[in-house]
Amino acid sequence: MSGADGYSVLFEPVQIGPVSARNRFYQVPHCNGMGHLRPQAEAAMRAMKAEGGWAVVSNQETEIHPTSDLSPYAENRLWDERDIPALRLMTDAVHAKGSLAAIELAHNGHHAQNHLSRAPLLGPSELALQTAYPKQARAMDKSDIREFRKWHRAAARRSREAGFDIVYVYAGHHMTLPHHFLLPQFNDRTDEYGGSLENRVRLTRELLEETREEVGDECAIALRFAVDEMLGSDGMQAQEEGRAVVELLADLPDLWDVNVADWSNDSATTRFEPRDGFQTSYIEFVKQVTSKPVVGVGRFTSPDLMVSLVRKGILDFIGAARPSIADPFLPNKIKEGRIEGIRECIGCNICVSSDALGVPIRCTQNPTMGEEWRRKWHPEIIESRGKEEAALVVGSGPAGLECAMQLARRGYDVTLAEAKQELGGRVLQESGLAGLSAWRRVTDHRIYDLQQRGNVQLFTDSSLSASEVVELGIPNVFLATGASWRRDGRGKSAFRGVSIESGSQVFTPDDIMSGVMPGDGPIMVYDDDQAYLGGVLADHLAQAGREVVFVTPASMVSPFTELTLEQVKVQRGLLEKGVRLVLSQTLVEITPGLAKVQCAYTGREQSVECASVVLVTQRARETALYEELRNLPDKPLTSLELIGDAANPGLIADAVYSGHMAARNFERDAGDIDREFFRREIVSLESA
Amino acid sequence: MSGADGYSVLFEPVQIGPVSARNRFYQVPHCNGMGHLRPQAEAAMRAMKAEGGWAVVSNQETEIHPTSDLSPYAENRLWDERDIPALRLMTDAVHAKGSLAAIELAHNGHHAQNHLSRAPLLGPSELALQTAYPKQARAMDKSDIREFRKWHRAAARRSREAGFDIVYVYAGHHMTLPHHFLLPQFNDRTDEYGGSLENRVRLTRELLEETREEVGDECAIALRFAVDEMLGSDGMQAQEEGRAVVELLADLPDLWDVNVADWSNDSATTRFEPRDGFQTSYIEFVKQVTSKPVVGVGRFTSPDLMVSLVRKGILDFIGAARPSIADPFLPNKIKEGRIEGIRECIGCNICVSSDALGVPIRCTQNPTMGEEWRRKWHPEIIESRGKEEAALVVGSGPAGLECAMQLARRGYDVTLAEAKQELGGRVLQESGLAGLSAWRRVTDHRIYDLQQRGNVQLFTDSSLSASEVVELGIPNVFLATGASWRRDGRGKSAFRGVSIESGSQVFTPDDIMSGVMPGDGPIMVYDDDQAYLGGVLADHLAQAGREVVFVTPASMVSPFTELTLEQVKVQRGLLEKGVRLVLSQTLVEITPGLAKVQCAYTGREQSVECASVVLVTQRARETALYEELRNLPDKPLTSLELIGDAANPGLIADAVYSGHMAARNFERDAGDIDREFFRREIVSLESA
């Protein structure tokens, strides 16, 4: 199948209860770190999805009452009518682009912590919070359940007032009361809300019925439900109770939005779940049981797979969270046959990390994500060039590629020079490691784009000196010269580095990623970066059959990956491969065959035998060319800018963003740029 | 010394540059989790300090630019003139109560993470973030430093426009650029801003001079400076460079606000630093070097100590953060000779934990803290009773005592019945453990207060059945019957409990706190609560000479105590006492002499030898009396309410809050109560 015609099935309208979706592309609810704290940013971001062709655009979990207070996280909020205007911003903006707006009503039970409201915590049973905070939920009595149903009913009514077309009942991700009631791992009640499945599903059924009573004439009712907990026989399974739930409620909602629990499984990264459509085997039964339309997810980016899922009767709607973040215009690009123009999600969960930090969403592939309101960045539109005509970009890592691509889109003649033999910089290196191959999409997308353009010249194997740069005669220069991993042990735990005796076998991540393999004997991976790379390298070396000891000042492997929902899988993976973990220890000295480490708590020293050490600590910016150029006496350049890791080492997402920003801001008024930098949403001082 | 007259020195006015403080009580800057997200709450809370007699009331660290973006934390913000109105709320409110308002300008360098602004990170040197986030600050060049100085100057100017009387330059807590430049652990520059102390202090000097140029005619300039890093010779020491800094800048600021770094040392808990005035030996030199007034802190609550510090010429101002939170009216109470009425800070850092969570401040001792705006709670004023005349409170833990005290203040005839032989409930128990003796102030304060009142009857050794309650003939009953630690292992990691073979020696925290000591042999403390108590019990048993093995599913001891700045000290303490740590392991089975644990990552099992197990997992609410009373057929009571841990197990702070709320809300209109529950500050929808 190929060409836009073959995809026409994806663009058929589909009825959902009383409302009609113009095509089969459905942005399921997903968090974005904007929510009630940044409603204008949220509205602009959701509207961009609608503009890009998503027929349904959902918001994110929406607190319905102070007893479900997720502060400090910035989800949506609909405690009472005062919250309606902020939500109305989104529905108006989505409607203006011709799409339906959906709201995900949520009461988070003991998943909420009520730190702002200080309200009592509620649950089906007596439940301790999962976080290390000593608070417990009380088992709801009958009057609590009646109250909760009233709150949900009122929230449904207010959803309609706010202009939503689809109202969710949310029983998924282990995150909400209806889900907690459904699952034996949270519910040990002995009344009519506990025990049998009929009893455990009662609350969900009541919410569906009551939501329909309130808004069913105008709004569709969606049920978001996790058919499988991915715990095997220790949890609900798709072919057992998961199916039975769908059978019990089959035609009660107007739409089934089905996935797997918990969130880390639903939103699995490519590192641990490389297959697009990885949820299909769990959810494919649903359409056999219900006559209502079904939406499912699975990091779909291939239109052929989408068509096949519809044709096979597995899905009515192609659901997406992450692919719609990486490319809000995915539907339109398929419709217009611009498949190669799709920015495919790399499954890195940097989007999730923003929500987990309580800050606005960002995306590795799509640097405009989260900037639709603040910087008015449009993923598909960029201003044409001004009076300057040409630009040189040095370095083809994520910052350089993105900068070059956007400059080319603006109409400049772009020359991109890469010192190495292949384009891609750190993405090329990192995507060669175990589990990270999908990250290569970051460079593939951009290299392909650049190759199609007549105004771009790409040079590899082209290391440039300052005088060579000047000789090129291109007056505008962007330096994306990157950063290299330090070899001296300097890092967050050792500002002055570590003592390294000569003769010690010391390697950096750059060495390993370039294919160097340390000689025989145990390899210590010392991770003072504590992000992802140390864990990936240890895994990579273990998979290559090497004996690995992983040492870190952190109390766990790769704590950063808690933000990407991967940490448990990362540490499990290393343990299962026999990697020895030495946690909460700081490296102080390396001698041939032996490393001295110090307890991060007591300072007590111990020795760890290892033939070699890979130091994952801190990066050194490559700024020599920049310093040379900026100090040239005769100032031959019109503009010179350092971008990406060479300016501020960070994530690949940060490098792409930096390259994008430099290209956008080139030739713009400095005052305008500065004003955007300060743009933010501010709390009202009106008395409440 | 005794009586209010002896304290008159504390109420002398003191000149600070161009402004005059009406007495010597000075609320130093402290975070409160309100900040730019909750400006009305912040203003009301600061105004309460002014009303209570603090002559100077400071705000908290105030971001001066998007390159110092502390999101998602809710500190103050002064990026540009748009932030002035929110800050003006506070200065107006503080001035209305006759006090001076101070602002703590801050650029947090690489301590900021710029997650919202996505701005470059700045530092004196190339610095990795301390958090597990892979971003680095770049070493500021000369133009960066010039820019920063301009931002600081502009922020000082705007501070004056916002009505502040005192403007801070902040070089403390390892948190700000001036401090980072000062300290060799962050500064390895080779230019005039690095190397010698003169060079490292240059930036602070420039900021002081430039702030004076901008606002020195109207505002006083304060320098907040950490004289000692508490790292011995590895850091700046009070008697070495700390003193030299004060000598170099001696009379440049109008006021010295001195303390120790880092924050965990400045804000040490009573568990690890029981002495009031614990910073005195570090800061006492300062007044010998400068002619300007000096403010210092040290959890001061004793007026005799305060007088002595002033008379000895150590301090001009009695600085306080935490004591002013526990009792905003501390100065007025001293002035009026009501020393016994002071709610003394217990040094638990629950206040700090709120800020660390990004939510509004709370306090164990002072349940009105953080509720000045939302609920209009005044710590010293409470509404008189309505038509009801008497109330019975059952249980004298923190909820029961607080409830009884506030009911008595409202004018009810209060009967308090405690089943045990001594009043105090869980506070009595927990404060008997190693390190927690200061927590007893929670009950001491309340019991003393109750004992002074003619309308209160206290009964101990008075367990009540439902019929006995009814026989008392008191129609309004508050049940603070508490919660007891479970003996079955149920907790966040084991909803169905753990397998316990008969004959196993299993204890609960209640057993240990009641003085039971397990028999010979190693004791396992199993901590699935992960808050503080498991770590405290392990410490307690180790101090009693017992062999202890500490097992927890968490990756560290007592992760909750990261929020109270104690975690490193907790884990270090156990390690130094020889406690064996078995981390990231879940308990699955207890048999006599042996426990089976499972790796939290892989599920691999191992056995741990132990003669006995103390289960710190979850608590069971004591609700039997409540259920009996609410189900009485003839409804003999007018009102019945479950409060404290019996309603929702939580922190002692939560129990006090619950008791306070119940007393405040008794006889109030239900609709009014509900409306307060929903009260919050909402983001403006005005276009920016």
Side-chain angles (χ1 to χ4, degrees):
Chain A
M1 189 184 313
S2 73
D5 284 355
Y7 306 134
S8 59
V9 67
L10 300 175
F11 296 92
E12 296 166 348
V14 181
Q15 194 70 19
I16 314 174
V19 300
S20 175
R22 61 181 154 123
N23 65 37
R24 296 185 185 273
F25 289 92
Y26 191 118
Q27 183 240 286
V28 297
H30 71 77
C31 297
N32 69 0
M34 291 164 167
H36 66 89
L37 288 182
R38 289 171 272 268
Q40 302 193 63
E42 166 116 28
M45 180 275 219
R46 301 293 180 188
M48 195 62 79
K49 308 276 193 87
E51 185 180 333
W54 299 87
V56 179
V57 178
S58 308
N59 78 341
Q60 62 199 314
E61 54 176 349
T62 304
E63 306 167 353
I64 64 168
H65 193 262
T67 53
S68 179
D69 157 33
L70 295 164
S71 303
Y73 299 102
E75 315 306 316
N76 283 125
R77 182 167 282 174
L78 184 48
W79 288 2
D80 60 22
E81 63 286 346
R82 290 183 64 212
D83 296 310
I84 291 177
L87 294 168
R88 166 70 69 181
L89 289 184
M90 172 189 156
T91 58
D92 284 348
V94 167
H95 290 159
K97 302 291 181 184
S99 298
L100 300 173
I103 182 168
E104 184 181 44
L105 300 183
H107 193 297
N108 294 80
H110 76 291
H111 180 73
Q113 300 192 57
N114 299 350
H115 284 311
L116 169 66
S117 69
R118 303 194 71 178
L121 293 164
L122 302 175
S125 315
E126 304 281 320
L127 285 163
L129 291 184
Q130 289 300 309
T131 62
Y133 201 91
K135 264 176 151 181
Q136 293 176 207
R138 70 163 187 257
M140 295 163 78
D141 63 20
K142 294 295 168 54
S143 81
D144 288 327
I145 293 175
R146 278 193 299 273
E147 286 297 304
F148 162 59
R149 288 165 52 192
K150 276 189 213 158
W151 304 334
H152 199 279
R153 200 185 260 271
R157 193 165 55 242
R158 293 186 186 114
S159 300
R160 181 173 59 182
E161 289 169 29
F164 286 98
D165 309 288
I166 301 174
V167 177
Y168 268 83
V169 172
Y170 178 21
H173 292 128
H174 291 170
M175 282 188 188
T176 61
L177 272 184
H179 208 208
H180 301 153
F181 271 76
L182 265 172
L183 299 173
Q185 70 153 303
F186 300 113
N187 184 343
D188 65 355
R189 301 178 74 92
T190 55
D191 65 1
E192 68 267 35
Y193 288 96
S196 71
L197 184 62
E198 285 267 2
N199 281 354
R200 284 181 277 121
V201 88
R202 188 178 308 279
L203 183 63
T204 301
R205 178 192 296 280
E206 289 170 340
L207 297 178
L208 286 168
E209 289 168 349
E210 289 160 3
T211 304
R212 182 166 305 286
E213 281 173 30
E214 284 296 329
V215 303
D217 50 337
E218 289 181 40
C219 304
I221 320 296
L223 175 59
R224 195 177 206 188
F225 170 58
V227 299
D228 201 294
E229 291 185 81
M230 310 287 265
L231 295 171
S233 57
D234 289 340
M236 186 174 282
Q237 298 187 82
Q239 294 314 317
E240 312 270 335
E241 284 202 342
R243 184 184 182 101
V245 168
V246 183
E247 287 169 351
L248 284 167
L249 301 175
D251 286 351
L252 211 47
D254 295 313
L255 174 124
W256 282 87
D257 176 347
V258 285
N259 59 17
V260 295
D262 58 6
W263 191 15
S264 72
N265 291 317
D266 181 32
S267 193
T269 59
T270 45
R271 181 168 171 193
F272 293 98
E273 185 45 86
R275 298 167 301 146
D276 292 1
F278 62 92
Q279 299 194 21
T280 304
S281 62
Y282 296 94
I283 61 177
E284 60 189 356
F285 76 86
V286 179
K287 260 190 77 66
Q288 299 158 21
V289 181
T290 177
S291 67
K292 303 293 178 165
V294 175
V295 58
V297 294
R299 228 176 36 236
F300 300 125
T301 53
S302 154
D304 291 340
L305 175 59
M306 296 174 191
V307 168
S308 121
L309 290 167
V310 174
R311 291 214 190 280
K312 283 186 189 160
I314 294 170
L315 294 178
D316 299 288
F317 285 103
I318 303 304
R322 291 175 291 171
S324 76
I325 294 165
D327 199 336
F329 280 67
L330 186 147
N332 283 1
K333 287 178 183 175
I334 295 174
K335 192 171 190 178
E336 296 158 13
R338 297 187 289 125
I339 310 301
E340 298 77 8
I342 296 172
R343 274 186 309 277
E344 288 183 296
C345 171
I346 70 169
C348 66
N349 277 6
I350 289 304
C351 49
V352 174
S353 79
S354 328
D355 181 67
L357 285 166
V359 298
I361 192 166
R362 60 213 52 184
C363 172
T364 302
Q365 272 285 50
N366 176 11
T368 69
M369 177 51 47
E371 298 290 351
E372 300 83 0
W373 175 80
R374 177 166 61 174
R375 298 193 180 276
K376 302 198 190 309
W377 284 357
H378 189 293
E380 305 301 318
I381 300 172
I382 191 166
E383 205 175 332
S384 297
R385 69 175 178 81
K387 65 179 173 48
E388 293 295 322
E389 293 174 1
L392 169 68
V393 178
V394 179
S396 72
L401 284 175
E402 174 69 13
C403 185
M405 182 173 80
Q406 299 301 345
L407 289 170
R409 291 177 66 205
R410 293 190 62 190
Y412 298 99
D413 288 324
V414 175
T415 302
L416 176 63
E418 166 59 46
K420 295 199 175 153
Q421 295 189 321
E422 200 174 345
L423 299 173
R426 68 181 281 194
V427 172
L428 186 66
Q429 288 193 301
E430 295 182 24
S431 64
L433 296 172
L436 302 190
S437 62
W439 291 18
R440 179 122 180 197
R441 294 171 177 180
V442 173
T443 50
D444 287 351
H445 170 73
R446 289 165 175 81
I447 293 169
Y448 176 82
D449 182 281
L450 288 164
Q451 285 169 340
Q452 308 312 305
R453 297 183 182 273
N455 60 338
V456 174
Q457 287 190 289
L458 303 175
F459 296 96
T460 52
D461 213 1
S462 300
S463 179
L464 295 177
S465 67
S467 58
E468 286 167 334
V469 167
V470 173
E471 278 161 26
L472 283 173
I474 304 171
N476 305 297
V477 178
F478 297 86
L479 297 181
T481 39
S484 52
W485 288 93
R486 299 183 70 107
R487 204 175 286 276
D488 60 0
R490 174 164 167 164
K492 54 183 115 238
S493 304
F495 182 60
R496 305 280 166 184
V498 304
S499 162
I500 302 176
E501 195 178 300
S502 83
S504 305
Q505 295 294 304
V506 172
F507 300 87
T508 73
D510 295 312
D511 296 332
I512 308 300
M513 292 189 287
S514 303
V516 173
M517 186 54 77
D520 288 347
I523 306 172
M524 174 189 290
V525 172
Y526 177 64
D527 186 14
D528 194 22
D529 177 49
Q530 305 180 25
Y532 62 88
L533 195 61
V536 170
L537 286 167
D539 190 43
H540 188 78
L541 293 166
Q543 289 199 33
R546 301 301 303 268
E547 181 184 344
V548 177
V549 51
F550 184 91
V551 180
T552 177
S555 68
M556 62 181 72
V557 178
S558 303
F560 167 76
T561 63
E562 289 194 306
L563 298 174
T564 56
L565 309 177
E566 295 173 292
Q567 197 278 327
V568 171
K569 293 169 185 168
V570 171
Q571 188 152 340
R572 180 191 300 148
L574 295 193
L575 287 167
E576 287 179 346
K577 292 187 186 78
V579 173
R580 183 180 154 218
L581 305 183
V582 181
L583 305 173
S584 301
Q585 299 285 333
T586 304
L587 180 64
V588 288
E589 187 183 297
I590 305 172
T591 56
L594 212 63
K596 193 184 287 174
V597 301
Q598 214 171 41
C599 173
Y601 291 96
T602 61
R604 276 183 206 151
E605 292 190 350
Q606 58 173 301
S607 292
V608 179
E609 282 185 35
C610 54
S612 54
V613 177
V614 181
L615 291 170
V616 191
T617 60
Q618 188 170 329
R619 289 189 288 158
R621 300 186 292 132
E622 299 293 351
T623 58
L625 180 58
Y626 177 68
E627 294 302 336
E628 266 189 89
L629 284 168
R630 80 191 295 210
N631 292 321
L632 285 177
D634 46 343
K635 305 287 172 201
L637 300 178
T638 307
S639 70
L640 173 68
E641 188 170 351
L642 198 59
I643 62 175
D645 289 331
N648 271 89
L651 293 165
I652 293 173
D654 296 317
V656 172
Y657 181 80
S658 168
H660 190 91
M661 172 112 70
R664 287 256 180 195
N665 286 346
F666 182 46
E667 291 199 88
R668 282 186 69 211
D669 177 74
D672 288 346
I673 295 171
D674 207 43
R675 268 185 290 282
E676 286 168 3
F677 203 38
F678 288 82
R679 202 138 182 265
R680 63 204 183 278
E681 300 187 55
I682 290 184
V683 169
S684 168
L685 302 185
E686 281 174 37
S687 59
Chain B
M1 190 184 311
S2 74
D5 286 356
Y7 306 133
S8 59
V9 67
L10 301 175
F11 296 93
E12 296 166 348
V14 182
Q15 194 70 19
I16 314 173
V19 299
S20 176
R22 62 182 154 122
N23 64 38
R24 295 184 185 274
F25 289 92
Y26 191 117
Q27 183 242 284
V28 297
H30 72 76
C31 296
N32 69 0
M34 291 164 167
H36 66 90
L37 289 182
R38 290 172 270 269
Q40 301 193 64
E42 166 115 27
M45 179 274 217
R46 301 292 180 189
M48 195 62 79
K49 309 276 192 88
E51 184 179 333
W54 299 88
V56 180
V57 178
S58 309
N59 78 341
Q60 60 200 314
E61 53 177 350
T62 304
E63 306 167 354
I64 63 168
H65 192 263
T67 53
S68 179
D69 157 34
L70 295 164
S71 304
Y73 299 102
E75 314 306 316
N76 283 124
R77 183 167 281 175
L78 185 46
W79 288 2
D80 61 22
E81 63 285 346
R82 290 182 64 211
D83 296 311
I84 292 176
L87 294 168
R88 166 69 70 180
L89 289 183
M90 171 189 158
T91 58
D92 283 349
V94 167
H95 290 158
K97 301 292 180 183
S99 298
L100 300 174
I103 182 168
E104 184 182 43
L105 300 183
H107 193 298
N108 294 80
H110 76 291
H111 180 71
Q113 300 191 57
N114 299 351
H115 284 311
L116 169 66
S117 69
R118 303 195 71 178
L121 293 163
L122 302 175
S125 316
E126 303 281 319
L127 286 163
L129 290 185
Q130 290 300 308
T131 62
Y133 200 91
K135 264 176 151 181
Q136 294 177 205
R138 70 163 188 258
M140 296 163 77
D141 63 20
K142 294 296 169 55
S143 81
D144 289 327
I145 294 175
R146 279 193 299 273
E147 285 297 303
F148 162 58
R149 288 164 54 192
K150 276 189 214 160
W151 304 333
H152 198 278
R153 201 186 260 270
R157 193 164 56 241
R158 293 187 185 115
S159 299
R160 183 173 60 185
E161 289 169 29
F164 286 99
D165 308 288
I166 301 174
V167 178
Y168 267 84
V169 172
Y170 179 20
H173 293 127
H174 291 170
M175 282 187 187
T176 60
L177 272 184
H179 207 207
H180 301 153
F181 271 76
L182 263 171
L183 299 173
Q185 70 153 302
F186 300 114
N187 183 343
D188 65 356
R189 301 178 73 93
T190 54
D191 65 1
E192 68 266 35
Y193 287 96
S196 70
L197 183 63
E198 284 267 2
N199 281 352
R200 284 181 277 122
V201 87
R202 187 177 309 279
L203 183 63
T204 301
R205 179 192 296 279
E206 288 169 343
L207 297 178
L208 286 168
E209 289 169 349
E210 288 160 3
T211 304
R212 182 167 304 287
E213 281 173 29
E214 284 296 328
V215 303
D217 51 337
E218 289 182 38
C219 304
I221 319 297
L223 175 59
R224 195 178 206 188
F225 169 60
V227 299
D228 201 293
E229 291 185 80
M230 309 288 265
L231 295 171
S233 58
D234 289 339
M236 186 174 282
Q237 297 188 84
Q239 293 314 317
E240 313 269 337
E241 283 202 339
R243 184 183 183 103
V245 168
V246 183
E247 287 170 350
L248 284 166
L249 302 175
D251 286 352
L252 211 47
D254 295 313
L255 175 124
W256 283 86
D257 176 346
V258 286
N259 59 17
V260 296
D262 57 8
W263 192 15
S264 72
N265 291 317
D266 182 32
S267 193
T269 59
T270 44
R271 182 168 170 193
F272 294 98
E273 185 45 87
R275 297 167 302 148
D276 292 0
F278 62 91
Q279 299 194 22
T280 304
S281 62
Y282 295 94
I283 60 178
E284 60 189 356
F285 76 87
V286 178
K287 259 191 77 64
Q288 298 158 22
V289 181
T290 177
S291 68
K292 303 293 177 164
V294 175
V295 58
V297 294
R299 226 175 37 235
F300 300 125
T301 52
S302 154
D304 290 340
L305 175 59
M306 296 174 192
V307 168
S308 122
L309 290 167
V310 174
R311 290 211 190 283
K312 283 184 187 161
I314 294 171
L315 294 178
D316 298 288
F317 284 102
I318 304 304
R322 292 175 291 172
S324 75
I325 294 165
D327 199 335
F329 280 68
L330 187 146
N332 282 1
K333 288 179 182 174
I334 295 174
K335 192 171 188 179
E336 296 158 12
R338 297 188 290 126
I339 309 302
E340 298 77 8
I342 296 172
R343 274 185 309 277
E344 288 183 296
C345 171
I346 71 169
C348 66
N349 277 7
I350 288 303
C351 49
V352 174
S353 79
S354 328
D355 181 67
L357 286 166
V359 298
I361 191 166
R362 58 213 54 183
C363 173
T364 303
Q365 272 284 49
N366 176 11
T368 69
M369 178 50 49
E371 298 289 351
E372 300 83 0
W373 175 79
R374 177 167 61 174
R375 297 192 179 277
K376 302 198 189 311
W377 284 358
H378 189 293
E380 304 302 318
I381 301 172
I382 191 166
E383 205 175 331
S384 297
R385 69 174 177 81
K387 66 180 171 50
E388 292 296 319
E389 293 175 0
L392 168 68
V393 178
V394 179
S396 71
L401 284 175
E402 174 69 13
C403 185
M405 181 173 81
Q406 299 300 345
L407 289 169
R409 291 176 66 206
R410 293 191 61 190
Y412 298 99
D413 288 324
V414 174
T415 303
L416 175 64
E418 166 59 46
K420 296 198 174 154
Q421 295 189 319
E422 199 174 345
L423 299 173
R426 68 180 281 195
V427 172
L428 186 66
Q429 288 193 301
E430 295 183 25
S431 64
L433 296 171
L436 303 190
S437 62
W439 292 18
R440 178 121 182 197
R441 294 172 177 177
V442 173
T443 50
D444 287 351
H445 169 75
R446 289 164 175 81
I447 294 168
Y448 176 84
D449 181 279
L450 287 163
Q451 285 169 339
Q452 308 312 304
R453 297 184 182 272
N455 58 339
V456 174
Q457 288 190 290
L458 304 175
F459 297 95
T460 52
D461 213 0
S462 300
S463 180
L464 294 177
S465 67
S467 58
E468 286 167 333
V469 167
V470 174
E471 278 161 27
L472 283 172
I474 304 171
N476 305 298
V477 178
F478 297 86
L479 296 182
T481 39
S484 52
W485 288 93
R486 299 183 70 105
R487 205 174 286 276
D488 59 1
R490 174 165 167 164
K492 54 183 117 238
S493 305
F495 182 60
R496 304 280 166 184
V498 304
S499 162
I500 302 176
E501 196 177 299
S502 84
S504 305
Q505 294 295 302
V506 172
F507 301 87
T508 73
D510 294 313
D511 297 331
I512 308 300
M513 292 188 288
S514 304
V516 173
M517 185 54 75
D520 288 347
I523 305 171
M524 173 189 291
V525 173
Y526 176 64
D527 186 12
D528 195 23
D529 177 50
Q530 305 179 25
Y532 62 87
L533 194 62
V536 170
L537 286 167
D539 190 42
H540 190 77
L541 293 167
Q543 289 198 33
R546 299 302 301 268
E547 182 185 344
V548 177
V549 52
F550 184 91
V551 180
T552 178
S555 68
M556 62 180 73
V557 179
S558 303
F560 167 77
T561 61
E562 289 194 306
L563 299 173
T564 56
L565 309 177
E566 294 173 294
Q567 197 278 328
V568 171
K569 292 169 185 167
V570 171
Q571 188 152 339
R572 179 190 300 148
L574 294 194
L575 287 167
E576 287 179 346
K577 291 186 187 79
V579 173
R580 183 181 153 216
L581 305 184
V582 180
L583 305 174
S584 300
Q585 299 286 331
T586 304
L587 180 65
V588 288
E589 186 183 298
I590 306 172
T591 55
L594 211 64
K596 194 184 287 176
V597 300
Q598 212 171 42
C599 172
Y601 291 96
T602 62
R604 277 183 206 152
E605 292 190 349
Q606 58 173 301
S607 292
V608 179
E609 283 186 35
C610 54
S612 54
V613 177
V614 181
L615 290 170
V616 191
T617 61
Q618 188 170 331
R619 288 187 291 158
R621 302 185 291 131
E622 299 292 352
T623 59
L625 180 57
Y626 176 68
E627 295 302 336
E628 267 189 89
L629 284 168
R630 79 191 298 210
N631 293 321
L632 285 178
D634 46 343
K635 304 288 172 200
L637 300 178
T638 307
S639 70
L640 173 68
E641 187 170 350
L642 198 60
I643 62 175
D645 289 331
N648 271 88
L651 293 164
I652 293 172
D654 297 318
V656 172
Y657 181 82
S658 168
H660 190 91
M661 171 111 71
R664 287 257 180 194
N665 287 344
F666 181 47
E667 289 198 89
R668 282 186 67 211
D669 177 74
D672 289 346
I673 295 169
D674 207 43
R675 268 186 288 284
E676 286 169 3
F677 202 38
F678 287 82
R679 204 140 181 265
R680 61 203 184 277
E681 300 187 54
I682 289 183
V683 169
S684 168
L685 303 185
E686 281 173 39
S687 59

